[in-house]
C-alpha cells in the first residue's frame, strides 16, 4: 500500500534534513506506527506521503500512485487526519462534514453518523468555532473517515484528548483496521503504538532506527530485564536489572543471597523502555 | 464542476456569517441608491435652460442647438420651474443683455455653460465657429452621475477582490486548505470555486447598481464583458493578499492598494488633456473606465469595446503570469 525508498526532506533546502534517507513498506491491511519524539520527522513524512509537502528525493508510492505525479483522484481512496485540527469555524459540525463529503467521487458516510461515532452527538448544529480543541480534533478525525478510505493517515490521533475520549478513538481505529483499512499512524505515545500497530518504526532525528512488531521487540528486549522486590532494613526496595549484564547478574545473585526477596520476575519492557534502550533517548 | 459549485456554496454560507463580508456585498448597492437619490437632476446629460416664450426666435433657436430648452409664458412660471429639484438654469432678458438665474444648488458647470452659450450668442459667433468650440467644451463637462456610477463599478470590482481575499484568509488561518488538498479537488477547481463568490457578487451588484441608477437601456452584454474582464486583476490581487495576510483586516487593507490605480485612472481619463491620455494606457482600470463611459453614454460600438476589453485582458494576463506561480505555491 505504501512503499518508501530513500526519502529525505529539507524544509528550506538548507541541508538541514527533517527526514534523512528513510525507507519502509506498509502492506495492505497493516497498521503501521511511526513512533518518535516530537520533532523527529513524523508529520513531515506524513506530509510527503499525502502530497501536502513536495517530495524532493527518493521514490514513494502510495495506494498505487507515484507521489511525484499529481493525481488527485487518488484521494478517493485516502483519508487524512491532521495533528492540528483544521475545520471551518463558521460552519457547524454537520456543515463541515457535508461540505467535505461532496468533494469526493466515491460514496461517502452520513455526517451525523460520524459525529455520533466520535461522541459529538447533539453538537451537529453547533459551529466548530465554538468547539473546544479536543472537539475540533474529533471532528477532524471524523472527517478523515468520510470517504471510507482504504488507506488512512492519522497524525497523533489521540494527542490532547482526555482518556475516555482517547479510548473511543482507539476503538474506532481498531475496528476500522480490523476490517481491512490500511493505517499509517504517527504518535509519540508508546501505548497507542503498542495497542494499535502491527509494526512500529522508531524514528529519531529524521532517521528510522528500527522497524519491527511490538511483540518481537518486547521478546527481544523485554526478557532481558528482571525486576526484584526485596526487604532491606525493613523497607521494600525494587530494582530492575538486566539479565545479560554481568555486573547486574552478580547483583541479582547478591540480592538473593543477602536479602529477603519478596517477588522476582522477568519484566516485559514497555515500548518506551525499548525506545530508550535502542535510541538512548526518551519519547517525551 | 459540481465541486466548484460546492466550494462556492460553502463560501456563500461562510460569508453570511461574516459581518464584514455582508457589508462588502451590500455597500455598493447602498451607494447606488445614494447616487440615484442625490443625483436625480444629473440624469440628463444635456443642460436644461428655461426661457421665455417671447424671447427672440433666433435666441431660442441658438440655445436649442446646445441645450434642452423649456419655454414659459411668464417670469413667475419660469421661476417656479427653476425652484424644482432638478438642475435647470433660467435665461431672462435684462436691459441690453441677459440674466442667468439658478436655484443655487446646481453644479457650477450648468451656470458656466449657460453663461458661455449666452455670451457666444451675444458675440454673434457663427454656428460654424461655435460648434467645434462648444462641442469641445461639452466633452469636458463630466456628466457627474455617469461618472459616479462608473466609479461605483470600479469600487465594486475591488470589493470582489476583498471578498475573495476573505475566503482565502479563512482557508489559510484555519488551515483547511490542507484538508482540501487531500481530496480529489484539483487546484484549478479550488481556485475557480474560490473566485466564484467575489465574481458573481460583483457582477450582480454592478447590474443592480446600474438598474437602480437608471441606466437600463444600455448594451448589457458590453457591460458584462467589460466587468468580467476587469475582475481578473482584482481576483488575482484578492488571492495574493489573502495568502499573505493574517486576518481579514490585513487582507482588506492589502486589496485597498487597488484604489490608487483605480482613482488615478479615473482622474487621468477625466482630467488629462488628450495629448497626455497615453500616460494612462498601462492601467486596465483606465480601459475599463473608458469602455464603461462609452457604454453608459450609449456611444459605445463593438470594435472600441472589444479593443478596450482586449487591452484589459492583455494587461491582466501579464499580471496573471507574474502572480499565478506565487498563488499556486501559496495554496499548496
Ligand atoms: N514548516 C517547517 N519549516 C521548517 N522546519 C520545519 C517545518 N515543519 C517542521 N519542521 C522541522 O522539521 C523537523 C521535523 O518536524 P515534524 O515532522 O513536525 O516532527 P514530528 O511530527 O515528529 O513532531 C523538526 O525539526 C521541525 O522543527
Ligand atoms: Mg507531528
Amino acid at each position: 500500500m505504501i512503499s518508501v525508498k530513500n526519502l529525505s526532506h529539507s524544509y528550506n533546502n538548507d541541508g538541514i534534513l527533517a527526514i534523512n534517507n528513510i525507507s519502509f513498506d506498509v502492506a495492505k491491511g497493516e497498521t503501521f506506527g511511526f513512533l518518535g519524539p516530537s520533532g523527529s520527522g513524523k508529520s513531515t513524512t506524513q506530509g510527503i506521503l499525502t502530497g501536502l509537502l513536495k517530495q524532493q528525493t527518493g521514490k514513494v508510492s502510495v495506494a498505487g500512485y507515484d507521489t511525484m505525479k499529481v493525481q488527485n483522484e487518488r484521494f478517493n481512496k485516502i483519508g487524512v487526519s491532521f495533528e492540528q485540527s483544521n475545520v471551518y469555524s463558521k460552519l457547524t459540525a454537520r456543515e463541515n462534514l457535508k461540505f467535505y463529503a461532496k468533494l469526493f467521487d466515491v460514496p461517502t458516510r452520513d455526517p451525523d453518523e460520524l459525529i455520533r461515532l466520535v461522541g459529538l452527538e447533539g453538537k451537529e448544529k453547533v459551529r466548530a468555532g465554538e468547539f473546544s480543541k479536543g472537539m475540533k480534533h474529533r471532528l477532524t478525525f471524523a472527517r478523515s473517515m468520510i470517504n471510507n478510505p482504504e488507506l488512512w493517515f492519522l497524525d497523533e490521533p489521540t494527542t490532547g484528548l482526555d482518556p475516555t475520549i482517547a479510548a473511543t478513538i482507539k476503538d474506532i481505529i481498531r475496528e476500522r483496521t480490523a476490517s481491512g483499512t490500511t493505517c499509517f499512524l504517527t504518535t509519540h505515545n508508546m501505548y497507542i503504538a503498542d495497542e494499535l500497530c502491527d509494526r512500529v518504526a522508531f524514528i529519531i532525528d529524521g532517521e528510522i532506527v528500527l522497524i519491527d512488531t511490538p511483540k518481537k521487540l518486547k521478546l527481544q528486549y523485554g526478557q532481558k530485564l528482571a525486576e526484584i522486590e526485596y526487604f532491606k532494613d525493613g523497607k521494600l526496595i525494587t530494582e530492575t536489572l538486566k539479565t545479560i549484564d554481568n555486573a547486574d547478574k552478580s547483583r541479582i545473585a547478591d540480592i538473593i543471597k543477602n536479602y529477603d526477596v519478596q517477588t522476582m520476575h522477568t519484566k516485559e519492557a514497555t515500548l518506551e523502555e525499548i525506545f530508550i534502550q535502542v535510541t538512548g533517548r526518551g519519547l517525551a | 464542476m459540481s465541486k466548484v459549485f460546492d466550494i462556492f456554496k460553502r463560501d456563500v454560507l461562510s460569508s453570511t456569517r461574516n459581518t464584514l463580508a455582508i457589508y462588502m456585498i451590500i455597500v455598493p448597492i447602498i451607494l447606488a441608491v445614494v447616487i440615484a437619490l442625490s443625483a436625480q437632476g444629473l440624469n440628463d446629460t444635456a443642460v436644461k435652460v428655461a426661457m421665455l416664450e417671447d424671447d427672440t426666435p433666433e435666441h431660442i433657436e441658438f440655445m436649442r442647438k446646445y441645450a434642452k430648452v423649456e419655454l414659459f409664458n411668464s417670469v413667475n412660471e419660469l421661476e417656479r420651474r427653476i425652484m424644482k429639484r432638478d438642475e435647470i438654469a433660467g435665461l431672462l432678458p435684462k436691459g441690453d443683455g441677459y440674466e442667468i438665474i439658478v436655484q443655487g444648488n446646481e453644479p457650477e458647470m450648468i451656470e458656466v455653460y449657460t453663461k458661455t452659450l449666452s455670451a457666444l450668442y451675444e458675440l454673434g459667433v457663427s454656428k460654424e465657429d461655435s460648434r467645434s468650440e462648444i462641442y469641445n467644451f461639452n466633452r469636458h463637462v463630466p456628466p457627474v452621475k455617469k461618472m459616479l456610477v462608473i466609479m461605483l463599478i470600479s469600487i465594486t470590482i475591488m470589493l470582489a477582490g476583498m471578498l475573495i481575499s476573505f475566503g482565502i484568509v479563512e482557508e489559510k488561518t484555519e488551515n483547511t486548505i490542507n484538508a482540501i488538498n487531500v481530496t480529489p479537488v484539483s487546484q484549478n477547481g479550488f481556485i475557480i470555486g474560490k473566485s466564484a463568490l467575489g465574481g458573481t457578487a460583483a457582477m450582480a451588484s454592478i447590474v443592480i447598481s446600474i438598474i437602480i441608477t437608471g441606466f437600463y437601456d444600455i448594451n448589457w452584454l458590453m457591460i458584462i464583458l467589460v466587468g468580467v474582464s476587469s475582475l481578473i486583476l482584482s481576483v488575482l490581487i484578492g488571492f495574493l493578499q489573502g495568502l499573505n495576510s493574517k486576518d481579514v483586516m490585513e487582507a482588506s487593507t492589502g486589496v485597498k492598494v487597488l484604489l490608487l490605480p483605480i482613482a488615478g485612472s479615473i482622474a487621468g481619463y477625466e482630467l488629462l488633456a488628450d495629448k497626455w491620455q497615453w500616460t494612462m494606457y498601462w492601467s486596465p482600470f483606465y480601459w475599463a473606465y473608458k469602455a464603461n463611459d462609452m457604454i453608459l453614454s450609449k456611444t459605445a460600438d463593438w470594435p472600441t469595446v472589444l479593443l478596450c476589453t482586449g487591452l484589459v485582458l492583455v494587461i491582466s494576463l501579464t499580471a496573471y503570469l507574474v502572480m499565478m506561480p506565487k498563488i499556486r505555491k501559496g495554496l499548496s
Side-chain angles (χ1 to χ4, degrees):
Chain A
M1 208 59 162
I2 300 176
S3 154
V4 176
K5 294 225 158 46
N6 309 111
L7 181 66
S8 297
H9 190 84
S10 165
Y11 274 98
N12 303 310
N13 277 315
D14 51 5
I16 299 171
L17 294 174
I19 52 174
N20 185 2
N21 197 27
I22 61 171
S23 303
F24 61 92
D25 289 284
V26 180
K28 192 165 166 49
E30 188 177 27
T31 302
F32 188 81
F34 235 48
L35 182 66
S38 156
S40 55
K42 305 182 297 292
S43 297
T44 305
T45 307
Q46 173 167 320
I48 296 168
L49 297 188
T50 53
L52 290 173
L53 285 173
K54 199 166 160 41
Q55 187 187 336
Q56 297 164 342
T57 58
K59 183 130 188 67
V60 179
S61 132
V62 171
Y65 293 92
D66 183 342
T67 46
M68 280 290 197
K69 298 186 190 120
V70 182
Q71 286 153 308
N72 289 301
E73 78 273 9
R74 74 177 186 275
F75 291 113
N76 283 318
K77 295 189 192 175
I78 295 174
V80 183
S81 186
F82 296 83
E83 182 175 4
Q84 253 94 41
S85 53
N86 50 359
V87 289
Y88 296 104
S89 303
K90 291 214 154 45
L91 265 52
T92 66
R94 182 187 284 153
E95 286 164 349
N96 262 293
L97 296 189
K98 265 193 169 166
F99 165 67
Y100 205 68
K102 289 189 202 136
L103 305 180
F104 291 89
D105 312 309
V106 289
T108 50
R109 291 181 72 173
D110 174 29
D112 287 0
E113 182 202 324
L114 286 176
I115 289 170
R116 254 196 319 278
L117 197 61
V118 297
L120 289 174
E121 61 264 64
K123 306 284 183 196
E124 292 86 352
K125 291 183 185 168
V126 177
R127 289 189 200 169
E130 289 164 32
F131 279 10
S132 70
K133 239 179 142 189
M135 288 160 82
K136 282 188 198 166
H137 193 89
R138 279 186 273 165
L139 188 59
T140 306
F141 175 79
R143 189 183 60 192
S144 73
M145 291 182 273
I146 199 121
N147 58 330
N148 285 304
E150 282 172 41
L151 174 57
W152 200 14
F153 287 94
L154 300 173
D155 196 348
E156 310 274 2
T158 59
T159 303
L161 299 179
D162 73 51
T164 44
I165 294 161
T168 313
I169 300 288
K170 271 189 275 184
D171 286 342
I172 298 170
I173 298 172
R174 219 176 268 123
E175 202 175 305
R176 276 199 71 84
T177 53
S179 66
T181 303
T182 312
C183 181
F184 180 89
L185 185 155
T186 83
T187 182
H188 64 260
N189 181 323
M190 47 141 182
Y191 295 109
I192 302 284
D194 195 357
E195 285 172 73
L196 298 175
C197 299
D198 298 320
R199 284 192 302 149
V200 292
F202 284 1
I203 178 165
I204 190 150
D205 294 338
E207 295 185 48
I208 293 181
V209 186
L210 66 75
I211 302 176
D212 217 328
T213 66
K215 199 169 165 191
K216 273 202 200 139
L217 286 172
K218 281 187 260 183
L219 274 174
Q220 192 180 344
Y221 295 90
Q223 280 190 330
K224 290 164 189 164
L225 289 178
E227 194 178 70
I228 305 182
E229 281 184 314
Y230 60 94
F231 281 106
K232 184 187 179 188
D233 307 329
K235 267 191 285 179
L236 188 67
I237 292 180
T238 310
E239 265 187 57
T240 306
L241 296 157
K242 295 195 188 93
T243 55
I244 45 160
D245 186 292
N246 278 335
D248 278 12
K249 275 206 280 202
S250 49
R251 173 78 188 140
I252 294 169
D254 195 41
I255 292 169
I256 295 170
K257 202 156 68 190
N258 298 316
Y259 302 101
D260 175 13
V261 173
Q262 280 302 106
T263 63
M264 181 172 113
H265 49 82
T266 53
K267 186 172 159 280
E268 188 173 63
T270 63
L271 278 184
E272 173 144 41
E273 282 162 337
I274 298 169
F275 194 94
I276 295 169
Q277 226 173 307
V278 174
T279 66
R281 265 199 268 163
L283 284 166
Chain B
M1 194 56 220
S2 81
K3 288 174 197 165
V4 169
F5 191 59
D6 289 321
I7 291 169
F8 165 69
K9 278 196 299 194
R10 197 217 66 81
D11 268 3
V12 173
L13 189 61
S14 221
S15 301
T16 58
R17 294 171 187 172
N18 178 347
T19 343
L20 205 54
I22 295 173
Y23 184 74
M24 308 249 112
I25 294 173
I26 293 176
V27 153
I29 306 210
I30 293 174
L31 287 176
V33 172
V34 170
I35 293 173
L37 291 179
S38 63
Q40 264 180 348
L42 294 166
N43 223 344
D44 213 328
T45 53
V47 170
K48 284 179 273 188
V49 177
M51 297 173 80
L52 291 175
E53 262 175 12
D54 54 9
D55 208 321
T56 63
E58 302 88 70
H59 190 204
I60 294 175
E61 204 200 328
F62 179 87
M63 293 307 287
R64 274 214 168 116
K65 283 208 172 74
Y66 308 109
K68 208 171 158 189
V69 175
E70 292 179 30
L71 296 176
F72 298 90
N73 49 30
S74 74
V75 176
N76 262 348
E77 255 180 72
L78 187 145
E79 278 174 349
R80 229 177 293 132
R81 175 68 186 89
I82 303 290
M83 296 315 285
K84 284 192 185 159
R85 296 187 57 126
D86 64 337
E87 272 88 43
I88 184 164
L91 202 51
L92 288 172
K94 189 190 178 193
D96 272 355
Y98 285 91
E99 176 188 36
I100 291 164
I101 56 166
V102 290
Q103 190 183 355
N105 60 357
E106 283 83 3
E108 209 181 351
M109 67 111 186
I110 288 181
E111 199 182 330
V112 172
Y113 186 70
T114 315
K115 236 180 228 163
T116 311
L117 284 181
S118 181
L120 289 171
Y121 175 72
E122 282 174 53
L123 285 169
V125 176
S126 80
K127 285 161 211 159
E128 284 66 37
D129 290 339
S130 63
R131 187 174 293 269
S132 62
E133 230 175 290
I134 292 174
Y135 176 82
N136 245 337
F137 176 67
N138 208 2
R139 183 211 172 290
H140 285 290
V141 173
V144 180
K145 180 174 174 181
K146 185 183 62 180
M147 195 172 100
L148 288 176
V149 173
I150 310 173
M151 278 169 148
L152 180 59
I153 293 176
S154 312
I155 289 170
T156 308
I157 283 175
M158 182 197 73
L159 291 180
M162 273 191 201
L163 263 183
I164 289 168
S165 74
F166 289 1
I168 298 298
V169 165
E170 182 188 15
E171 297 275 359
K172 206 193 70 158
T173 53
E174 316 218 76
N175 208 6
T176 39
I177 292 185
N178 273 351
I180 303 274
N181 282 342
V182 293
T183 68
V185 175
S186 67
Q187 198 178 49
N188 285 333
F190 180 74
I191 290 173
I192 297 169
K194 278 292 179 189
S195 312
L197 173 63
T200 48
M203 288 317 294
S205 167
I206 287 172
V207 168
I208 294 171
S209 305
I210 290 176
I211 291 174
I212 290 177
T213 49
F215 288 90
Y216 352 86
D217 51 348
I218 49 158
N219 189 325
W220 285 99
L221 197 59
M222 286 179 176
I223 274 285
I224 288 166
L225 188 70
V226 175
V228 170
S229 51
S230 40
L231 267 169
I232 297 173
L233 190 65
S234 189
V235 169
L236 288 170
I237 302 272
F239 268 93
L240 264 193
Q241 292 300 338
L243 286 170
N244 292 327
S245 309
K246 290 189 306 293
D247 53 45
V248 289
M249 290 318 287
E250 197 181 319
S252 56
T253 312
V255 179
K256 260 188 258 159
V257 298
L258 277 176
L259 270 182
L260 213 65
I262 288 176
S265 304
I266 296 173
Y269 179 78
E270 292 291 352
L271 302 173
L272 283 179
D274 281 351
K275 63 172 179 174
W276 293 112
Q277 288 283 318
W278 61 269
T279 56
M280 301 309 300
Y281 287 0
W282 56 271
S283 165
F285 304 107
Y286 172 87
W287 296 108
Y289 189 88
K290 187 180 164 86
N292 283 332
D293 184 43
M294 289 186 303
I295 297 168
L296 291 192
S297 331
K298 283 173 260 170
T299 57
D301 55 78
W302 275 110
T304 320
V305 169
L306 287 177
L307 176 71
C308 289
T309 314
L311 287 164
V312 172
L313 286 176
V314 166
I315 299 164
S316 305
L317 190 72
T318 314
Y320 174 89
L321 292 176
V322 174
M323 296 182 197
M324 212 50 194
K326 284 183 200 146
I327 291 173
R328 288 199 182 282
K329 190 150 178 281
L331 288 177
S332 64

